[in-house]
Each structure stands twice: as structure tokens, then as C-alpha cells.
């Protein structure tokens, strides 16, 4: 993050002319969603907008864009940072999304941002300066989507040399956009007179002012450069008299004339500095043949002659040239600087940028120096600092700048392994590991061999090969440096899990506990150790301990601003609550997890939403279950990966079966032939193979029950092989249901006793509640014994409460999974008018002006519509209106 890009540029000239007419024009359009300031370079666009922001009462923020912002994540990061300078912590969820390993779809990002901005109660102007530098279509799509449903508070001001490729026709047709163009920005005769009065403290006559206007076409840069070539106002007109040609060529000519009058030693530095998008004394002194003393003298001289340089911070540490002047200087530099010297300049700049940890800039300049090998070295030197902070996506962006032919270093291949691992691209991961292994044969770097073994162990572990995984992990433990970081944290976490699934849970927990006690306090490292304790206790069915460790991960993540870690901790605590039937607490946490689904591990996010669906259904809240399922299905559709789609469909079929809607569910289960492996069981709430059993048990035919028994035996064997007591409990409860369905009461009672014995230590209750009607008589008989423990009483109490709510299952009232839309409460005529305009992107003030009602009345209508449709933001209301053909 280069925070100087967030600073509004100050007035460029002390002799500036206040553009009162343009300020008034922009201010009058503040109630509209957008203003477009579009004109060629040198017409004072940024300065005019800066003057407006100085005068307006609205809160404002600014982003100076450049070529490096042609990355959606980078652009979004700057948007969030800019908005937070205006209204602190106003878009926290969007900020979280910007840190996601894989960004969600454009609409999701835009709608999240819109909903957060809509909560701000004051006007905010967001200026995107130099928008012509943006070429990335995904960024244009984000802006388009933002303008479909513009937030109440936001006024977007786009400053650009040419009209952006945005869908602005609707705003133009509705007169909902302010346009400031070249004809508005060109200096008038009166403004030229004012400028030269300020410059020379003497007035010029009307004729001279008109002459200057005609020759420069009111172009500010040309007028200002002419003033640098003369010491009196009449001399400015003489400059133009001696030149024939277009005004652009005239400015180039004038700049050359200005430079001819400057010291030659500074001219040479000036051309070198023009190759930098920003500069300070340190950067200038890093250039070839420029000493620190000379660099300071140059900077003093540059500020003294005021050659169109713009300070980028309030301390005047960093500067940049006006873009047009930079282009002129670069064109002149291309004729004066030899190719070898250009290479040296870019190389020196890259070294300085890397020294100051501006890695993207370092890579860009080294690429301009055509030193691809050096780019590889920059990435290799800096990759670990990003990987250790869970920012593998940053390293992925660096790697994308390298030609594929340069991926011939083990460090680079191992760097590429982490994005493949995080995105569950195991086939690609295997290929990268093979390539890296070949290169490592002649490499003695033990840390690299350790990293290779770590990643290889991860791949084997999640493929269910725990023995091979442990072999790799043991090698990694020997080879990796003994320090606290993400790698060693991941290593110890997975060693502990592998140890547990090999039947040595107590040893795993003892080692993790010792490692925590010996930890020096690295937050990323410690959260992996606590996660290890969480997972191992979930495997063992110890819900209270698992909940405590999940909560610890959550709190460390929050305290250290680790968004991903905090979200994972939320999910961990939520799942423990869910399994213990603490459903109210679980739902609160699962709502947070759903909001953060885009930064979570995708499998974890999907399982959390599936748990939320089931929790709502058990709580007799079918509408909320349907809404969550709809979100889950949309999420997995966006991800477009078969493994995730299967889990989403499984959750839907589980919900249908709980409602005794079996036709679709039976068709689904007949097509499922998924052999469960360790990774498919793990601690997941939604296991498709077990949901297949649930559907078969609901159908209850002899054939279905036989198939269910076969699958249960298969899953039970795997769960026992990996010592997954959590999944053994799920299987045990389903076995009781199976025996009950077959009328084998004695065997069912024995099976229930077995299931209760393994459920009691961790107080697992939730699996029984999914079968309350089938299991209640049997459980009531077993648990009524006064000598039974607290767990039995708690289970019976939970069942009594669930049955007392008369759920849809018990009442035989099946509800469709999708929320019906044909019986929605009808809107009034005025509400229809309001919702139609709102769906077209009109804001409250614009709706009020169009319908000749107050803003307060508009808000009341929108509130009433939301109440009728049970929706809570403008986007979902607008979408519902479209579905119901109101629009």
C-alpha cells in the first residue's frame, strides 16, 4: 500500500486561479451518483476537482491511479483504504473480501460494498484520478455494478483523459451525471487575465488575453509554460507569435526552451528522474552518477523553479511530475539516454524500491531493464515474508509477471505450490512438486528441501496417506529452520492431526501443548497450534475443549488483524456449538462465517453454511433455512468446482429429507457413488455419503434400508480406521435409526446405548435431534432412569423442547426448499412507484424529486416494502421487484 496515492493533490501553482464556475457546477451535482471530468492532459482536471473538494462540505477521499492498479485486488484495496480515510471502518466486510485468497465474483464484491456504504449517514465523494490508466475489465465491471444501485451517500467522481468504457448511457439519459469536459476546463479570457495578473502583478488588456486564448485554446499547461519563458506579461504573447503549429507541439517546444535555460547537470538528472512515477531524494541519489549531495541540490532546484511537480504527501517527501510533463520529458529522454544507461537507471531504481520494500515497483523497473533473472531473484528474496503472513496471493501475482520459461528455480516452483494448495488444485500441486524435486537434486539448501517435504506431506495427508505424510513431515521438521512462522505452524498442526488419525491422540495433544508453552508469541504460528488442538479434540469428540480452542484462534486472529485466521476461529467455535446443540450460539457465529465466506477456506465456508441450514431447520425456522441454502447454492455455483457442488446438493437433499420430500432426494442419492476418504469425512458436518444414508432411511423401503446398512458399514470402517470419533457418532446414531426402521427394537436399544456411550464424553446432542420423532420413544425410555448422568437428562430435555415446537416434520407439513414468490404481500401503488425507481438505481433524494414527495416518505415506503418481503437492503428488494415483474 502506497499511502501517498490517497492524498488529494494540493494546488499546483501558488498563482492558481480559483475555478468558481466549475466548483459550483460540481457542487450542484453532488446529489447525483457520479461526475465525469474528462479532458486531455494539461487542462487542470485534478486541480479543479481538488479545489472543489476544498470548498465542499461533503467528506471526500482520493485515489491517484496508475498502471499497477490494473489488478482487481489492488484496486479494491485502495478503494477500501480511501473510504476508511473518509469514514473510518466504514467498509470492514469489503476490506475482509479484499484479503481473500480468491476474490468472489464482481457482483458479490459490488453488492457488499454498496450495502456497507448505504449505512453511512453523510455524503462521501470518492475521486478516481487518472482513471484512463485502468484497462482491466473486471474493474470497469465493478464500477458499472456500483452505479446500478448507487449508495445513498456516495458520489463517484472519475477524472480521466478520455471517456471510460463504462455503461453510462442510463445515467446520461436520466440526467443523473455531471459532465465537465475540455470546453468547460479551458481558460476563459477573464481567467487568463487573472492568471497573468497573479503571475506578474500587472494586468493585460482584453486584446492580449483574447490572443492568448485563441493561440492556446485555453490550455492551462501552455499558458503556464509560456509564463516560465518570460518575465513580463507582454512577453508571453511574443512566445506564441514566433511559433506556428498545434498547441501540443507548442508546449513541447516551450518545455525544451525552458530546459535550455537550466543548469546542464540538472537537465541530465531531470531526464533520468522522468522515468520514475514518483521520486524523493533517496531515489534520485540511487540513480547512476548522482551523489546524495547532488540529489538534494536537484530536489531543491526542482521545487524552486516549480516545474509542474506535485507533492504526494504533506511532508513533501515524495513528488511526481504532472503526467503530461513527464511524457514530454520521457520523449526527450529517449533521444538523449542510451539503451545501456536506461538499463542502469531502471536497475538502480529497482534496487532502491526493493530496499524500501516496494516490491511491485522493484519488479516493474527490473522488467523495464529487461532483467528477468533479476526479477526472479527479487521474488525469491521476498516471497517468504508474504507467505509467512498468509499472503500467498501476493506471491502469485508476482509470479504472474514472469514468463513460464523462467519458472526454473525450485524457490519459484515451491512458491507456486502454495496457491495450488490453497485452491485445492492437487493435480497441479503434484506436478509442481515433481518439477521442484528434479531441480532440488542439485540444490543443497536444506530449507528448500524442508519446504518441499512440508508441501508433499500436506498433499499426502489430504489424500488419506497418513503414513507417507508423516514421513515427509518428519523430514521437514529436521530440514526447516527452527523459527516460528506459518511453515512450522502448518507442520506442527498437520503432524498433530496425522498422529491422531494414526491412533495417538494423547501424544499429539501433549506435543501441541508443549509447543504452545514454548512459543515466543508469533501469532500466525500460535493459531496453527491452537487449531491443531481444536481439530484433534473434534476428532475425539471433545466439544467443550474444541470450542475453547476455536475461540482462542478467533481472539488471536482478531487481536492481530489476521482476517483469515479470525474467520477460521469463528467457524471452529461455531461447529463445536452446533454439534453440542447450542444452536442459538452456533447460528450467531455461523452468520459471521457466512459473511466472511469469501476469505475462508472454501470447504470450511461451505460446511459452515450447510450447518447453518440444518441449525435453522432443527430450530423450526424453515424460511431462514431456505434463505441460507439459496446463498450456499449461489456460492458453490460461483466457485464452479464439482467437489463443492456435491456438498451443496447434499445439504439441499438433507433438508428435503428432513421435510419428508423424498422424490428429488431419492433421485439424487441413486446417482451418488462417492467412496469416502479421510478428507471427505474430517470434521465436516455435511458428508454426502451420510446424507445419502439419511435419504434412504427416510424412504424406508427394504431395498433402501439394505443400501443404507451397506453404506454405514463402509463409512464406519473408514471413520474407525482414522480414529474419527466425531464421524463414528454420526454413524452410530444413523445405525439406531436403521434398526428402529426395521422394527428391531432390542437391537436398536443396544445400538442406542453404544451411541450414547461415545456421545456422552463430548456431549454430542445435535445428531439425535435430526431424528427426534423416530428416536424419542426409545431415548425417553433409556434416559428416564433417574440414575442416568447429566448428559442423558440434557439430551431428553433437548428432545422434549424440539418436539414441543411442533416442527414441520412432526406435523407433516412439508415446505418447499425455495421461498415462494407468488404469495408475496401486495404493494400499494405508491410503493410500486418507489420500488420501480429504486430498481433503476435512483437514490432516495432522486426518487423524492421525481415523485414530489419527501425523502422521509421514500424511506418509509422502502421500509414497508422490506417488511412485506422480509428483505433488508436495496439490492435484494430491487432484485425481488424484478422477479415479481414490478420492473
Amino acid at each position: 500500500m502506497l499511502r501517498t496515492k490517497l492524498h488529494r493533490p494540493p494546488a499546483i501553482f501558488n498563482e492558481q486561479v480559483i475555478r468558481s464556475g466549475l466548483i459550483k457546477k460540481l457542487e450542484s451535482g453532488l446529489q447525483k451518483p457520479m461526475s465525469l471530468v474528462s479532458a486531455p492532459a494539461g487542462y487542470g482536471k485534478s486541480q479543479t476537482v481538488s479545489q472543489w473538494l476544498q470548498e465542499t462540505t461533503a467528506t471526500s477521499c482520493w485515489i491517484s491511479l496508475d498502471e499497477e492498479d490494473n489488478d482487481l485486488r489492488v484496486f479494491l484495496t485502495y478503494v477500501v483504504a480511501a473510504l476508511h480515510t473518509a469514514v473510518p471502518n466504514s467498509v470492514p466486510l469489503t476490506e475482509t473480501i479484499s484479503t481473500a485468497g480468491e476474490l468472489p465474483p464482481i457482483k458479490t464484491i459490488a453488492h457488499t460494498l454498496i450495502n456497507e456504504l448505504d449505512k453511512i449517514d453523510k455524503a462521501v465523494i470518492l475521486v478516481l484520478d487518472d482513471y484512463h490508466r485502468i484497462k482491466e475489465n473486471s474493474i470497469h465491471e465493478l464500477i458499472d455494478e456500483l452505479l446500478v444501485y448507487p449508495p445513498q451517500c456516495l458520489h463517484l467522481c472519475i477524472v480521466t483523459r478520455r471517456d471510460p468504457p463504462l455503461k453510462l448511457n442510463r445515467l446520461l439519459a436520466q440526467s443523473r451525471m455531471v459532465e465537465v469536459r475540455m470546453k468547460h476546463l479551458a481558460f476563459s479570457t477573464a481567467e487568463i487575465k487573472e492568471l497573468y495578473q497573479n503571475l506578474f502583478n500587472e494586468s493585460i488588456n482584453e486584446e492580449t488575453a483574447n490572443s492568448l486564448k485563441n493561440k492556446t485554446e485555453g490550455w492551462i499547461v501552455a499558458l503556464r509554460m509560456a509564463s516560465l519563458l518570460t518575465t513580463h506579461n507582454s512577453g508571453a504573447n511574443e512566445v506564441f507569435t514566433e511559433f506556428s503549429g498545434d498547441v501540443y507541439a507548442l508546449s513541447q517546444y516551450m518545455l525544451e526552451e525552458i530546459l535550455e535555460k537550466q543548469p546542464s547537470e540538472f537537465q541530465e538528472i531531470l531526464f533520468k528522474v522522468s522515468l520514475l512515477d514518483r521520486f524523493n531524494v533517496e531515489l534520485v541519489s540511487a540513480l547512476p552518477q548522482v551523489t546524495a549531495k547532488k540529489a538534494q541540490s536537484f530536489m531543491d532546484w526542482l521545487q524552486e523553479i516549480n516545474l509542474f511537480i506535485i507533492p504526494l504527501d504533506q511532508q513533501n517527501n515524495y513528488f511526481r511530475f504532472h503526467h503530461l510533463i513527464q511524457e514530454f520529458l520521457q520523449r526527450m529522454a529517449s533521444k538523449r539516454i542510451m539503451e545501456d544507461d536506461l538499463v542502469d537507471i531502471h536497475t538502480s531504481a529497482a534496487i532502491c524500491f526493493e530496499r524500501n520494500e516496494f516490491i511491485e515497483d522493484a519488479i516493474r523497473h527490473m522488467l523495464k531493464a529487461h532483467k528477468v533473472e533479476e526479477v526472479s531473484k527479487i521474488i525469491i528474496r521476498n516471497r517468504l515474508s508474504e507467505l509467512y503472513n498468509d499472503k500467498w496471493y501476493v506471491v502469485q501475482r508476482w509470479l504472474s509477471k514472469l514468463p513460464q520459461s523462467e519458472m526454473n528455480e525450485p524457490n519459484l516452483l515451491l512458491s507456486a505450490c502454495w496457491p495450488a494448495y490453497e485452491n485445492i488444485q492437487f493435480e497441479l500441486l503434484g506436478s509442481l512438486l515433481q518439477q521442484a524435486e528434479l531441480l532440488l537434486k542439485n540444490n543443497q539448501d536444506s530449507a528448500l528441501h524442508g519446504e518441499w517435504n512440508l508441501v508433499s506431506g500436506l498433499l499426502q495427508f489430504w489424500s488419506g496417506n497418513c503414513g507417507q505424510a508423516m514421513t515427509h513431515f518428519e523430514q521437514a521438521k529436521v530440514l526447516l529452520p527452527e523459527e516460528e512462522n506459518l511453515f512450522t505452524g502448518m507442520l506442527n498442526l498437520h503432524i498433530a492431526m496425522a498422529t491422531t488419525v494414526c491412533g495417538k491422540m494423547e501424544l499429539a495433544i501433549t506435543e501441541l501443548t508443549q509447543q504452545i508453552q514454548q512459543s515466543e508469541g508469533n501469532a500466525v504460528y500460535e493459531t496453527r497450534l491452537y487449531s491443531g488442538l481444536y481439530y484433534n479434540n473434534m476428532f475425539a469428540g471433545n466439544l467443550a475443549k474444541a470450542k475453547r480452542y476455536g475461540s482462542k484462534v478467533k481472539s488471536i486472529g482478531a487481536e492481530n488483524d489476521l482476517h483469515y485466521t479470525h474467520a477460521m476461529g469463528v467457524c471452529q467455535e461455531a461447529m463445536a456449538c452446533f454439534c453440542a446443540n447450542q444452536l442459538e450460539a452456533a447460528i450467531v457465529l455461523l452468520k459471521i462465517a457466512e459473511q466472511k465466506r469469501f476469505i475462508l477456506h472454501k470447504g470450511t465456508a461451505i460446511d459452515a453454511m450447510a450447518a447453518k441450514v440444518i441449525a435453522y431447520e432443527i430450530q423450526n425456522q424453515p424460511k431462514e433455512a431456505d434463505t441460507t441454502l439459496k446463498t450456499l447454492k449461489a456460492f458453490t455455483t460461483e466457485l464452479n468446482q464439482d467437489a463443492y457442488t456435491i456438498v451443496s446438493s447434499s445439504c439441499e437433499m438433507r433438508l428435503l429429507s428432513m421435510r419428508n420430500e423424498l422424490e428429488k432426494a431419492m433421485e439424487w442419492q441413486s446417482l451418488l457413488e462417492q467412496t469416502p476418504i479421510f478428507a471427505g469425512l474430517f470434521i465436516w458436518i455435511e458428508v454426502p455419503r451420510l446424507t445419502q444414508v439419511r435419504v434412504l432411511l427416510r424412504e424406508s423401503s427394504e431395498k433402501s434400508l439394505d443400501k443404507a446398512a451397506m453404506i454405514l458399514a463402509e463409512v464406519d470402517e473408514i471413520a474407525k480406521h482414522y480414529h474419527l470419533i466425531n464421524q463414528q457418532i454420526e454413524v452410530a446414531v444413523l445405525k439406531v435409526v436403521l434398526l428402529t426402521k426395521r422394527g428391531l427394537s432390542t437391537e436398536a436399544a443396544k445400538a442406542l446405548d453404544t451411541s450414547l456411550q461415545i456421545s456422552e464424553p463430548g456431549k454430542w446432542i445435535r445428531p439425535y435431534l435430526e431424528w427426534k420423532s423416530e428416536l424419542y420413544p426409545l431415548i425417553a425410555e433409556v434416559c428416564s432412569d433417574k440414575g442416568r448422568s447429566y448428559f442423558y437428562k440434557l439430551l431428553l430435555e433437548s428432545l422434549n423442547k424440539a418436539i414441543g415446537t411442533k416442527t414441520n416434520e412432526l406435523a407433516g407439513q412439508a415446505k418447499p426448499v425455495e421461498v415462494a414468490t407468488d404469495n408475496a404481500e401486495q404493494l400499494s401503488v405508491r410503493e410500486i412507484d418507489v420500488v420501480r425507481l429504486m430498481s433503476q438505481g435512483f437514490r432516495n433524494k432522486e426518487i423524492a424529486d421525481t415523485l414530489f414527495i419527501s425523502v422521509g416518505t421514500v424511506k418509509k415506503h422502502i421500509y414497508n416494502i422490506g417488511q412485506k418481503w422480509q428483505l433488508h437492503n436495496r439490492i435484494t428488494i430491487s432484485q425481488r421487484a424484478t422477479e415479481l415483474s414490478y420492473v
Side-chain angles (χ1 to χ4, degrees):
M1 169 74 65
L2 184 63
R3 300 205 68 85
T4 54
K5 291 169 62 172
L6 305 180
H7 294 161
R8 174 172 63 86
I12 298 176
F13 315 122
N14 294 328
E15 307 84 4
Q16 67 175 330
V17 174
I18 303 300
R19 312 300 301 276
S20 303
L22 294 178
I23 291 172
K24 185 177 180 181
K25 180 181 178 71
L26 288 165
E27 184 69 14
S28 66
L30 187 56
Q31 297 299 325
K32 299 180 179 182
M34 178 182 165
S35 54
L36 177 66
V37 183
S38 179
Y43 273 91
K45 301 182 294 295
S46 302
Q47 185 186 9
T48 298
V49 173
S50 182
Q51 288 181 5
W52 170 42
L53 299 189
Q54 229 171 1
E55 299 292 326
T56 185
T57 57
T59 302
S60 64
C61 50
W62 187 289
I63 308 174
S64 295
L65 299 168
D66 57 39
E67 280 73 12
E68 291 303 307
D69 297 318
N70 279 290
D71 178 286
L72 181 58
R73 185 193 303 279
V74 174
F75 179 83
L76 188 61
T77 300
Y78 276 108
V79 168
V80 168
L83 289 168
H84 281 177
T85 64
V87 185
N89 201 34
S90 55
V91 288
L93 190 52
T94 307
E95 180 181 25
T96 299
I97 286 177
S98 72
T99 67
E102 185 177 350
L103 290 178
I106 300 297
K107 279 194 174 184
T108 302
I109 298 173
H111 292 181
T112 302
L113 179 58
I114 290 167
N115 288 334
E116 290 194 298
L117 287 173
D118 226 27
K119 297 175 183 177
I120 298 175
D121 58 2
K122 60 181 178 180
V124 176
I125 303 167
L126 171 61
V127 179
L128 302 179
D129 193 16
D130 292 326
Y131 192 82
H132 56 273
R133 295 186 168 210
I134 299 299
K135 309 292 191 300
E136 174 58 44
N137 283 333
S138 61
I139 296 174
H140 299 318
E141 291 171 16
L142 177 66
I143 300 299
D144 277 331
E145 195 64 34
L146 197 62
L147 291 171
V148 172
Y149 305 108
Q152 296 294 310
C153 70
L154 185 68
H155 180 90
L156 183 65
C157 179
I158 291 181
V159 183
T160 176
R161 290 189 187 181
R162 51 188 169 274
D163 284 9
L166 300 173
K167 299 173 183 177
L168 302 178
N169 288 340
R170 186 175 67 169
L171 291 177
L172 284 169
Q174 297 168 343
S175 298
R176 298 175 60 225
M177 184 177 88
V178 177
E179 292 183 271
V180 175
R181 298 194 172 274
M182 184 174 74
K183 64 181 180 181
H184 305 115
L185 289 160
F187 264 38
S188 66
T189 301
E191 287 173 322
I192 291 173
K193 291 173 71 174
E194 183 181 349
L195 172 64
Y196 280 87
Q197 175 68 43
N198 293 341
L199 286 169
F200 301 111
N201 198 26
E202 56 182 85
S203 60
I204 58 174
N205 58 41
E206 193 78 13
E207 182 181 353
T208 301
N210 275 321
S211 175
L212 288 170
K213 181 176 183 297
N214 292 334
K215 290 172 181 176
T216 63
E217 299 175 5
W219 196 26
I220 304 163
V221 165
L223 290 165
R224 185 65 180 85
M225 277 202 280
S227 72
L228 294 175
L229 285 171
T230 184
T231 56
H232 55 90
N233 56 32
S234 59
N237 200 25
E238 294 169 5
V239 172
F240 298 111
T241 303
E242 298 171 0
F243 187 88
S244 61
D246 64 44
V247 70
Y248 188 84
L250 170 63
S251 294
Q252 177 93 27
Y253 159 76
M254 287 192 293
L255 182 59
E256 292 174 356
E257 289 292 309
I258 292 168
L259 294 181
E260 282 297 321
K261 298 181 178 180
Q262 308 306 324
S264 58
E265 59 177 337
F266 290 156
Q267 288 184 44
E268 183 182 347
I269 299 175
L270 190 66
F271 294 132
K272 293 177 181 179
V273 172
S274 71
L275 301 176
L276 308 176
D277 288 334
R278 66 182 185 280
F279 53 89
N280 62 3
V281 173
E282 182 184 359
L283 266 167
V284 174
S285 66
L287 298 175
Q289 290 86 50
V290 181
T291 64
K293 183 177 180 181
K294 188 180 289 186
Q296 185 62 63
S297 299
F298 168 79
M299 291 296 294
D300 294 341
W301 164 80
L302 196 58
Q303 293 177 68
E304 182 182 345
I305 68 166
N306 196 13
L307 189 61
F308 297 90
I309 61 169
I310 301 169
L312 296 178
D313 53 44
Q314 295 177 349
Q315 293 75 33
N316 283 0
N317 289 327
Y318 274 95
F319 295 85
R320 72 168 174 86
F321 287 111
H322 185 286
H323 294 312
L324 181 64
I325 302 303
Q326 184 182 23
E327 290 170 14
F328 284 164
L329 289 170
Q330 286 178 349
R331 191 173 292 110
M332 296 165 70
S334 67
K335 299 175 183 178
R336 304 191 188 198
I337 300 177
M338 302 297 290
E339 181 64 29
D340 288 347
D341 293 330
L342 281 174
V343 170
D344 290 343
I345 291 168
H346 286 299
T347 301
S348 299
I351 292 169
C352 186
F353 275 123
E354 184 184 4
R355 187 167 60 244
N356 286 278
E357 299 183 0
F358 293 118
I359 308 305
E360 304 271 356
D361 294 284
I363 290 172
R364 186 173 72 254
H365 279 283
M366 203 61 85
L367 285 171
K368 287 182 177 180
H370 309 297
K371 294 185 176 181
V372 179
E373 288 186 9
E374 292 299 321
V375 173
S376 298
K377 292 177 182 177
I378 291 173
I379 295 173
I380 290 169
R381 285 193 293 268
N382 295 278
R383 71 185 190 96
L384 291 180
S385 62
E386 297 297 335
L387 291 175
Y388 287 167
N389 283 306
D390 255 348
K391 294 183 179 178
W392 52 265
Y393 49 84
V394 172
V395 179
Q396 185 180 37
R397 187 166 67 242
W398 296 349
L399 292 173
S400 70
K401 300 178 187 298
L402 279 177
Q404 192 61 36
S405 59
E406 294 299 319
M407 293 290 289
N408 52 12
E409 291 282 344
N411 317 60
L412 299 176
L413 289 166
L414 287 170
S415 296
C417 283
W418 291 103
Y421 172 74
E422 293 292 343
N423 290 313
I424 318 181
Q425 297 170 316
F426 286 168
E427 187 174 340
L428 172 60
L429 180 58
S431 174
L432 291 167
L433 285 169
Q434 286 179 359
Q435 295 175 59
E437 184 179 20
L438 291 174
L439 294 173
L440 283 168
K441 287 181 178 179
N442 299 317
N443 191 305
Q444 302 303 313
D445 189 331
S446 60
L448 289 179
H449 285 272
E451 185 179 351
W452 183 87
N453 275 285
L454 169 59
V455 180
S456 297
L458 294 174
L459 178 59
Q460 293 299 327
F461 178 79
W462 292 107
S463 299
N465 305 318
C466 291
Q468 294 179 44
M470 281 299 289
T471 300
H472 284 298
F473 290 151
E474 287 166 2
Q475 284 293 311
K477 200 168 186 69
V478 172
L479 295 168
L480 284 173
E482 292 185 10
E483 58 184 60
E484 295 183 2
N485 54 48
L486 178 67
F487 288 0
T488 51
M490 290 280 284
L491 176 61
N492 290 329
L493 160 63
H494 284 84
I495 286 176
M497 288 198 292
T499 301
T500 293
V501 300
C502 288
K504 301 176 182 178
M505 187 197 77
E506 289 185 4
L507 174 61
I509 289 180
T510 299
E511 289 183 347
L512 284 171
T513 304
Q514 289 176 350
Q515 288 161 358
I516 288 172
Q517 291 171 348
Q518 295 166 3
S519 171
E520 296 176 359
N522 181 284
V524 172
Y525 174 76
E526 282 194 353
T527 55
R528 269 50 183 186
L529 300 182
Y530 280 112
S531 291
L533 289 172
Y534 165 79
Y535 290 125
N536 280 305
N537 279 284
M538 284 297 287
F539 293 157
N542 299 326
L543 295 179
K545 289 183 178 180
K547 178 183 175 182
R548 183 165 72 247
Y549 293 127
S551 179
K552 184 68 174 178
V553 173
K554 180 185 72 173
S555 62
I556 294 175
E559 290 165 7
N560 293 275
D561 205 25
L562 301 170
H563 298 298
Y564 170 80
T565 301
H566 173 257
M568 287 297 290
V570 168
C571 287
Q572 291 170 4
E573 185 179 352
M575 293 310 193
C577 290
F578 176 79
C579 293
N581 199 44
Q582 298 168 3
L583 297 184
E584 290 86 356
I587 287 171
V588 170
L589 291 164
L590 290 169
K591 284 180 179 179
I592 299 171
E594 183 179 307
Q595 286 183 331
K596 297 179 179 291
R597 61 189 180 276
F598 297 107
I599 67 165
L600 279 165
H601 177 278
K602 299 301 180 286
T604 302
I606 290 166
D607 202 53
M609 285 190 279
K612 186 162 167 266
V613 170
I614 304 308
Y616 274 133
E617 190 67 12
I618 292 173
Q619 290 278 79
N620 192 31
Q621 296 177 272
K623 288 183 178 180
E624 288 79 359
D626 293 337
T627 301
T628 304
L629 178 62
K630 190 174 181 180
T631 302
L632 170 59
K633 290 171 70 176
F635 183 59
T636 52
T637 299
E638 291 164 358
L639 294 175
N640 194 28
Q641 291 190 32
D642 290 344
Y644 297 146
T645 303
I646 289 171
V647 177
S648 173
S649 298
S650 176
C651 179
E652 181 180 6
M653 298 309 119
R654 184 173 177 178
L655 184 60
L656 287 171
S657 70
M658 291 175 74
R659 296 171 176 178
N660 283 315
E661 293 185 0
L662 297 177
E663 183 178 352
K664 185 177 178 181
M666 283 297 293
E667 181 182 352
W668 168 81
Q669 74 79 27
S670 68
L671 301 174
L672 187 68
E673 297 180 359
Q674 189 184 59
T675 302
I677 60 174
F678 168 75
L681 294 178
F682 191 46
I683 61 162
W684 303 131
I685 300 299
E686 189 54 58
V687 178
R689 199 65 164 159
L690 289 179
T691 288
Q692 187 179 19
V693 171
R694 294 181 180 103
V695 172
L696 291 165
L697 291 178
R698 298 284 185 188
E699 200 272 341
S700 297
S701 69
E702 195 62 34
K703 182 179 178 181
S704 293
L705 295 177
D706 287 344
K707 186 176 180 179
M710 180 191 70
I711 297 170
L712 281 175
E714 177 187 50
V715 176
D716 194 33
E717 181 182 355
I718 296 169
K720 286 177 178 175
H721 174 75
Y722 289 115
H723 302 275
L724 300 177
I725 294 174
N726 56 319
Q727 299 297 359
Q728 290 176 47
I729 292 171
E730 299 283 353
V731 170
V733 174
L734 292 173
K735 280 184 179 178
V736 178
V737 177
L738 172 65
L739 293 168
T740 302
K741 292 280 186 179
R742 283 182 160 166
L744 303 173
S745 56
T746 302
E747 290 84 347
K750 290 180 180 178
L752 176 63
D753 192 54
T754 300
S755 76
L756 290 172
Q757 285 178 30
I758 58 175
S759 300
E760 181 176 8
K763 296 183 175 55
W764 284 68
I765 292 176
R766 188 270 316 153
Y768 298 93
L769 295 189
E770 286 189 56
W771 301 92
K772 47 189 172 286
S773 60
E774 288 86 355
L775 298 182
Y776 181 76
L778 192 59
I779 291 175
E781 183 179 346
V782 171
C783 294
S784 59
D785 186 343
K786 292 183 180 179
R788 292 289 189 181
S789 69
Y790 170 74
F791 169 70
Y792 286 76
K793 295 175 183 177
L794 184 64
L795 175 58
L796 186 58
E797 180 183 315
S798 299
L799 281 168
N800 282 328
K801 181 179 178 182
I803 289 175
T805 60
K806 293 291 183 183
T807 62
N808 293 331
E809 179 187 4
L810 294 177
Q813 300 170 354
K815 295 288 184 182
V817 174
E818 297 294 336
V819 180
T821 60
D822 54 355
N823 63 345
E825 188 172 345
Q826 294 296 308
L827 303 184
S828 68
V829 174
R830 181 56 86 190
E831 287 170 345
I832 292 172
D833 290 338
V834 170
V835 82
R836 281 176 175 166
L837 290 172
M838 188 171 71
S839 298
Q840 294 175 46
F842 279 61
R843 301 191 292 186
N844 290 352
K845 181 69 167 61
E846 295 171 303
I847 295 172
D849 292 344
T850 303
L851 299 179
F852 301 101
I853 56 179
S854 71
V855 172
T857 302
V858 173
K859 289 180 179 178
K860 184 176 180 181
H861 284 313
I862 293 173
Y863 173 79
N864 290 338
I865 295 166
Q867 291 295 104
K868 289 180 178 181
W869 290 349
Q870 296 186 350
L871 299 172
H872 309 293
N873 63 61
R874 300 172 74 85
I875 295 174
T876 53
I877 291 173
S878 299
Q879 291 171 340
R880 185 68 178 280
T882 302
E883 291 172 6
L884 296 177
S885 301
Y886 282 114
V887 180

